[in-house]
Amino acid sequence: MDGAPVGRRVFLGLLGAGAAGILWGANAQRWLEQRIGPYLAKDGTGLSGFLPIGRFRIYSVTGSMPHRDRDEYRLRVGGLVDQPLTLTYRDLRAMTPTGLTRDFQCVTGWRVYSVPWKGVRLGDVLDRAGVQAGAKALRFTSFDGAYSESLTLKQARRDDVLVAYELEGEELSDAHGGPVRLYVAPMYGYKSIKWLDEIEVTDKVVPGYWQERGYDVDAWVGRSNNRDDNAP
Ligand SMILES: Nc1nc2c(c(=O)[nH]1)N[C@H]1C(S)=C(S)[C@@H](COP(=O)(O)O)O[C@H]1N2
Ligand SMILES: [Mo]
């Protein structure tokens, strides 16, 4: 289950290049992210193999760093809906934005305090598509081609569940799952699927990537995965 640790020389070399001012700006960040892709943690459990970017650790189960231009990005919403949608990045930006500042916590124990996120409420996206009778849940897939997640319809309609496009005041980088990812504030990080591709409204919960590997479907922080803070 170990991801490949970032080779010390490679990592220091990249830092050195950045520090020397050879690389700068958004393109430089992309350049850096693409090259470090192979060194990313290949699972969400390895404490040895992770890549720190800013205050975060960057995870990608595929070990790669998918990229999609904002202009080309499309979010598809289908399944049990009245009106299947194909939303562009601009379409999402044109909807009422919601900002949230919360701690971000991975089930493996690391936590980033007071992270500002911005996006649109998932509930607003669902209203736009029109959820049909008999719908119970959502299935999310990623354009990394491997990751998937789920929420019940009730969870999805919470005010603190976003289709997110900004993190810490900046457009989401490739590393953080841009152009658009899910952000499920009350749950462990693994519910917040990166590189969001499609939302399918379903009649039951379909277990996602980590659920198939033993993690809880309902991932409430402190109340799941045997981390019951209120346990006697
Ligand atoms: N597509 C995809 N989404 C993902 C993951 C992943 O590997 N692939 N890892 C999850 C886990 S376990 C966590 S803790 C967070 C980490 O978010 P970050 O990489 O922006 O820090 O993303 C979640 N979403
Ligand atoms: Mo995680």
Side-chain angles (χ1 to χ4, degrees):
M1 291 287 276
D2 273 359
V6 177
R8 190 174 159 77
R9 269 182 58 206
V10 174
F11 190 60
L12 291 179
L14 289 168
L15 283 182
I22 296 164
L23 302 162
W24 204 245
N27 285 338
Q29 190 187 353
R30 234 194 94 198
W31 183 93
L32 198 63
E33 287 176 2
Q34 280 171 351
R35 266 143 198 89
I36 54 187
Y39 302 102
L40 288 172
K42 290 210 173 63
D43 63 56
T45 61
L47 288 172
S48 60
F50 65 87
L51 181 76
I53 285 193
R55 303 188 292 155
F56 285 78
R57 296 176 188 190
I58 301 299
Y59 283 135
S60 176
V61 295
T62 61
S64 70
M65 187 83 81
H67 169 79
R68 192 150 298 172
D69 287 339
R70 288 187 176 80
D71 288 352
E72 264 135 52
Y73 179 78
R74 300 288 182 275
L75 173 62
R76 290 173 294 145
V77 185
L80 300 172
V81 292
D82 297 332
Q83 177 67 57
L85 303 175
T86 303
L87 300 172
T88 65
Y89 187 76
R90 273 163 166 266
D91 291 336
L92 289 166
R93 279 276 178 184
M95 292 174 70
T96 307
T98 297
L100 284 176
T101 299
R102 298 276 191 285
D103 295 349
F104 187 74
Q105 194 165 323
C106 174
V107 71
T108 59
W110 56 272
R111 184 186 302 193
V112 188
Y113 295 97
S114 297
V115 182
W117 295 85
K118 192 169 159 191
V120 299
R121 289 209 176 102
L122 177 55
D124 290 347
V125 175
L126 294 177
D127 286 345
R128 213 165 143 166
V131 173
Q132 294 184 341
K136 292 271 169 10
L138 304 181
R139 171 176 159 76
F140 305 88
T141 44
S142 166
F143 61 79
D144 69 6
Y147 209 86
S148 58
E149 256 305 336
S150 70
L151 286 175
T152 66
L153 206 49
K154 190 173 169 215
Q155 292 163 357
R157 288 198 176 282
R158 290 175 57 110
D159 286 348
D160 53 1
V161 176
L162 304 182
V163 172
Y165 46 67
E166 267 187 35
L167 176 67
E168 296 182 315
E170 287 177 17
E171 290 188 305
L172 274 179
S173 65
D174 290 345
H176 283 300
V180 174
R181 77 184 287 176
L182 192 67
Y183 173 56
V184 184
M187 296 196 183
Y188 287 113
Y190 65 84
K191 298 300 283 190
S192 295
I193 185 172
K194 308 204 286 185
W195 308 295
L196 182 59
D197 191 31
E198 186 169 9
I199 301 173
E200 188 192 350
V201 180
T202 55
D203 59 3
K204 60 174 187 302
V205 169
V206 180
Y209 184 90
W210 284 117
Q211 283 84 73
E212 283 169 352
R213 291 159 180 78
Y215 287 85
D216 288 355
V217 179
D218 294 327
W220 307 107
V221 171
R223 292 189 281 131
S224 64
N225 297 289
N226 302 318
R227 283 155 197 266
D228 185 350
D229 285 350
N230 302 312

